[in-house]
Amino acid sequence: MASLEKAIQKIGPLDEEAMKAARERQDELTKPQGSLGRLEELSIKVAGIRGEATPLEHKAIIVMAADHGVVAEGVSLFPQEVTAQMVQNFLHGGAGINVLARHVGARVVVVDMGVAAELETHPHLISRKVALGTRNMMRGPAMSRAEAISAVEAGIEIMEREFEKGLDIVGTGDMGIANTTPSSAITAAITGEAVAEVTGRGTGIGDSQLAHKVRVIEETLKVNQPDPNDGLDVLAKVGGFEIGGLVGVMIGAAAHRIPIVIDGFVSGAAALIATRMAPKLSDFLIAAHLSAEIGHEVALKHLGLKPILDLRMRLGEGTGAALAIFIIEAAVRTLAEMATFSGAGVSEAEKRRVDY
Amino acid sequence: MASLEKAIQKIGPLDEEAMKAARERQDELTKPQGSLGRLEELSIKVAGIRGEATPLEHKAIIVMAADHGVVAEGVSLFPQEVTAQMVQNFLHGGAGINVLARHVGARVVVVDMGVAAELETHPHLISRKVALGTRNMMRGPAMSRAEAISAVEAGIEIMEREFEKGLDIVGTGDMGIANTTPSSAITAAITGEAVAEVTGRGTGIGDSQLAHKVRVIEETLKVNQPDPNDGLDVLAKVGGFEIGGLVGVMIGAAAHRIPIVIDGFVSGAAALIATRMAPKLSDFLIAAHLSAEIGHEVALKHLGLKPILDLRMRLGEGTGAALAIFIIEAAVRTLAEMATFSGAGVSEAEKRRVDY
């Protein structure tokens, strides 16, 4: 657990000086004060996280894949084999995240955290398989505490590698058939919200299957009794390997002052665990979008985050994060590249900012 | 009026075949059906507009600038000279729209439709000045009907030029100190909503100036009595030259089956006029974002459009349109580039789409 504790200790506060400078510059740019709305807020937040105003040159989406024993309870519309098939799709560039990452100029980092199949080696596949899928959490813990720590530390280590390659902003992504089920369990456990309020249709299940999914999660929580104040306990009992990996990515990114763009519901569940383990990490999170999966709004509210986009997406893989990274980049570029009133010879307003 | 009538007559219906093909392909892509949310809708709409699935290679933001006689009533925070200064800023690449257009790979087309100053010639400035600003519409019509037609026809002609250069999608942008005042007047006149419900703080005016602005617009509507069923009458009496130019851009774009991404409140007002003049045009409009300017939501509702983004922006210039073009491009690219279930060897869901 050495690398985990070390990374958590390394997480510092936001850079107040950099935020002040960004805020002041925003008010000197050739536009009515505040008129770039959330772009202004985002530019200031990113300045606080990074402590510098350099361009976001290196971007990555880290997509972590794993399987879930609870799939045996019939909670998903898709068969488990799809997780491994989609990993191949990621490696061949045909998935949604491949297209959107190309569109924003981000690299896609594909990690096998625990797919329930032996995957062929591939030059772009990082294998950190903790096990061949979690155990069925409705019958007992999804994984041991040691496995949970391994998953998180693998995420931290992968973030180290990516940081060394050059990384200015990171998006989180997930793939794992049935993984909205542990995500709902985590969200219910940590926020205290009723299971039915945080459980959605995942890939698109109908009403009766949804009711069944709710019962499975309720039973899971009853059987495991995760401690909401112990992030690792929640992860081990009702989590997943890709979720643990994403927790590690978040901790590692915050330790290196890299803005973390969390994707949808599964990433949100990982963020709930990560902020339990490292409360200071929450300053480094940016919510990409509001997923159509109902539990996501609950998770974001708990995290105190306001999503950038609301496009009724619910695909995962980091697709929402990729689009949001583009908006964040736009925010950073307007701050860096726009002319100032004095520089461009534009007259200023007669009065200063009013509440809008 | 020949070119105006000809362009309006050229506007056809959406291509239902292309939309059907896009819809079917969406359901074969490697993702749960419907999981790309609004991206799927946008890809289908663009297919219907363009009738083909080629990439959006050529993008332009057309920024039209003009001044407004009603500025004399003290409705803005900025002096009128800022319109001309901002045109220079556009030409030097320092404005918000320049940064965001670079970010999305769109060209910026700057048009002087009626700035109240003689601008120096510049290789990138298109001059279609109808007059040195409109007249003060609180005292009578902002422009003559002939001037309104000239403004619209200039917009159509500029769209022809851009179309010939190559254009796959267009965003509309505006610059004109005080131009939220005519935009509110247009929105009130066409939607029938009360002036106070469609009048906002523009560049950031305080409460008392806002109350004054509402009175100015109410008086303007009383003095001019624009006919809400006659778009040109509304434009002439309570509009602006850049607004007329944008009406022409929209008509010209629809005639060429080019998706029109309308920016914020001023573009929304232009769209209200354009759809009065050419009802079939509304199928070709895509709302970029929800402006913080309160009248914009009313205008979008009247147009039956749902904004893509909500970033509390209120800058104009086409800044919201630029960001939205990126999202639309993402939608088109996912449809074109994602692998299908059969192509990628991914198992399909056990059941088909459910209502989500």
Side-chain angles (χ1 to χ4, degrees):
Chain A
M1 225 169 131
S3 77
L4 170 54
E5 277 163 12
K6 210 171 118 192
I8 290 175
Q9 274 161 18
K10 207 175 154 188
I11 301 173
L14 293 180
D15 184 331
E16 295 291 342
E17 285 279 309
M19 290 173 83
K20 184 165 172 278
R23 207 173 282 119
E24 285 172 1
R25 184 172 162 82
Q26 278 293 357
D27 284 351
E28 287 163 9
L29 299 177
T30 46
K31 59 176 171 54
Q33 291 184 354
S35 64
L36 280 175
R38 291 213 60 200
L39 293 193
E40 298 190 16
E41 292 169 27
L42 287 166
S43 73
I44 293 162
K45 181 158 186 173
V46 170
I49 293 172
R50 302 183 70 221
E52 56 186 45
T54 54
L56 299 174
E57 194 183 342
H58 303 289
K59 295 158 265 183
I61 308 287
I62 301 185
V63 188
M64 300 206 143
D67 276 306
H68 299 268
V70 74
V71 76
E73 301 301 330
V75 288
S76 178
L77 210 62
F78 284 84
Q80 185 171 59
E81 69 211 42
V82 168
T83 305
Q85 292 165 345
M86 284 301 296
V87 169
Q88 297 305 323
N89 200 12
F90 297 147
L91 295 170
H92 294 125
I97 187 54
N98 299 108
V99 178
L100 295 180
R102 281 198 292 273
H103 192 37
V104 302
R107 62 185 189 260
V108 177
V109 180
V110 185
V111 187
D112 172 8
M113 287 296 305
V115 179
E118 294 300 346
L119 303 176
E120 271 178 57
T121 58
H122 184 286
H124 292 125
L125 175 63
I126 301 173
S127 181
R128 289 292 178 280
K129 205 189 278 288
V130 181
L132 288 159
T134 52
R135 291 188 290 277
N136 183 348
M137 64 184 188
M138 201 177 82
R139 314 285 173 196
M143 64 187 90
S144 68
R145 191 172 178 99
E147 285 173 323
I149 293 168
S150 294
V152 175
E153 293 197 328
I156 293 171
E157 184 231 319
I158 282 161
M159 178 50 62
E160 289 293 334
R161 286 170 47 142
E162 295 304 319
F163 178 75
E164 273 159 33
K165 285 186 207 162
L167 188 59
D168 300 310
I169 189 163
V170 68
T172 62
D174 69 281
M175 178 67 221
I177 292 302
N179 71 4
T180 59
T181 297
S183 300
S184 292
I186 291 164
T187 304
I190 292 188
T191 69
E193 195 62 67
V195 171
E197 300 299 316
V198 298
T199 303
R201 296 178 188 276
T203 47
I205 56 175
D207 288 345
S208 67
Q209 203 177 356
L210 174 59
H212 171 69
K213 182 176 172 184
V214 168
R215 284 192 301 273
V216 167
I217 296 168
E218 285 170 344
E219 178 68 15
T220 294
L221 292 171
K222 210 174 101 185
V223 165
N224 287 287
Q225 299 287 334
D227 175 359
N229 297 311
D230 180 351
L232 275 173
D233 190 60
V234 176
L235 175 62
K237 288 175 173 167
V238 302
F241 297 130
E242 82 281 48
I243 295 172
L246 291 176
V247 170
V249 166
M250 293 177 197
I251 291 171
H256 284 294
R257 308 194 71 84
I258 294 167
I260 306 155
V261 185
I262 59 170
D263 187 37
F265 185 45
V266 179
S267 289
L272 287 173
I273 292 173
T275 52
R276 277 294 145 114
M277 293 172 64
K280 278 193 282 184
L281 183 147
S282 62
D283 286 340
F284 295 80
L285 298 176
I286 298 174
H289 75 125
L290 181 65
S291 166
E293 188 72 11
I294 61 166
H296 192 223
E297 192 166 5
V298 174
L300 290 184
K301 208 165 278 180
H302 193 86
L303 291 162
L305 298 175
K306 202 164 61 171
I308 297 173
L309 300 166
D310 179 3
L311 298 167
R312 307 303 297 158
M313 287 164 61
R314 51 182 170 84
L315 175 53
E317 301 179 1
T319 47
L323 293 179
I325 283 175
F326 177 83
I327 303 286
I328 297 163
E329 230 184 324
V332 171
R333 289 189 66 172
T334 45
L335 180 65
E337 298 177 27
M338 275 179 72
T340 58
F341 282 107
S342 58
V346 174
S347 306
E348 292 202 50
E350 287 150 19
K351 305 161 207 166
R352 304 299 286 180
R353 184 196 287 270
V354 296
D355 286 332
Y356 200 87
Chain B
M1 230 171 125
S3 78
L4 171 54
E5 276 163 12
K6 211 172 118 192
I8 290 175
Q9 273 160 21
K10 208 175 153 189
I11 301 173
L14 293 180
D15 185 330
E16 294 292 341
E17 285 279 309
M19 291 173 81
K20 185 165 171 278
R23 207 174 281 120
E24 284 171 3
R25 185 173 162 81
Q26 277 292 359
D27 284 350
E28 287 162 7
L29 298 178
T30 47
K31 60 178 171 52
Q33 292 185 354
S35 64
L36 280 175
R38 292 213 60 199
L39 294 192
E40 299 190 16
E41 292 170 27
L42 287 166
S43 73
I44 294 162
K45 181 159 186 174
V46 170
I49 293 173
R50 302 185 69 222
E52 55 186 44
T54 54
L56 299 174
E57 194 184 342
H58 302 289
K59 296 158 263 181
I61 308 287
I62 301 186
V63 188
M64 299 208 145
D67 275 307
H68 299 267
V70 74
V71 76
E73 301 301 330
V75 288
S76 178
L77 210 61
F78 284 84
Q80 186 172 58
E81 70 210 42
V82 168
T83 305
Q85 292 165 345
M86 284 300 296
V87 169
Q88 298 305 324
N89 200 13
F90 296 148
L91 295 170
H92 294 126
I97 187 54
N98 300 107
V99 178
L100 295 181
R102 281 198 292 272
H103 192 38
V104 302
R107 61 184 189 261
V108 177
V109 180
V110 185
V111 187
D112 172 9
M113 288 298 303
V115 178
E118 294 299 346
L119 303 177
E120 271 177 57
T121 57
H122 184 286
H124 291 125
L125 175 63
I126 300 174
S127 181
R128 288 293 177 279
K129 204 189 277 290
V130 181
L132 288 159
T134 52
R135 291 189 291 277
N136 182 348
M137 64 184 187
M138 202 177 83
R139 314 288 174 194
M143 65 186 90
S144 67
R145 191 170 178 99
E147 285 174 322
I149 293 167
S150 294
V152 175
E153 293 197 329
I156 293 172
E157 185 231 317
I158 282 161
M159 178 50 63
E160 288 294 334
R161 286 170 48 142
E162 295 305 317
F163 178 74
E164 274 159 31
K165 285 187 206 161
L167 188 60
D168 300 311
I169 189 164
V170 67
T172 62
D174 68 281
M175 177 68 221
I177 292 303
N179 71 4
T180 59
T181 297
S183 300
S184 291
I186 291 164
T187 304
I190 292 188
T191 69
E193 195 63 68
V195 171
E197 300 300 316
V198 298
T199 303
R201 296 178 188 276
T203 46
I205 56 175
D207 287 345
S208 66
Q209 203 177 356
L210 175 59
H212 171 68
K213 182 177 172 185
V214 169
R215 283 193 301 273
V216 167
I217 296 168
E218 285 171 344
E219 178 69 13
T220 294
L221 292 171
K222 211 174 102 187
V223 164
N224 287 286
Q225 299 288 331
D227 175 359
N229 296 310
D230 180 351
L232 276 172
D233 190 60
V234 176
L235 174 60
K237 287 175 173 167
V238 302
F241 297 129
E242 81 280 47
I243 295 172
L246 292 176
V247 170
V249 165
M250 292 177 197
I251 291 171
H256 284 295
R257 308 194 70 85
I258 294 167
I260 306 155
V261 185
I262 60 171
D263 186 37
F265 186 44
V266 179
S267 290
L272 288 173
I273 292 173
T275 52
R276 277 294 145 113
M277 294 172 65
K280 278 192 283 184
L281 183 147
S282 62
D283 285 341
F284 295 80
L285 298 176
I286 298 173
H289 75 124
L290 181 65
S291 166
E293 188 72 10
I294 62 165
H296 192 223
E297 190 164 8
V298 174
L300 290 184
K301 208 164 278 179
H302 193 86
L303 291 161
L305 298 175
K306 203 164 59 172
I308 297 173
L309 300 167
D310 180 4
L311 298 168
R312 307 301 300 157
M313 287 164 60
R314 52 182 169 86
L315 175 54
E317 302 179 1
T319 47
L323 294 179
I325 283 175
F326 177 84
I327 304 286
I328 298 163
E329 228 185 328
V332 170
R333 289 190 66 173
T334 45
L335 180 64
E337 298 177 26
M338 276 179 71
T340 58
F341 281 107
S342 58
V346 174
S347 307
E348 294 201 47
E350 286 151 18
K351 303 161 211 164
R352 303 299 286 181
R353 183 197 287 272
V354 295
D355 287 332
Y356 199 85

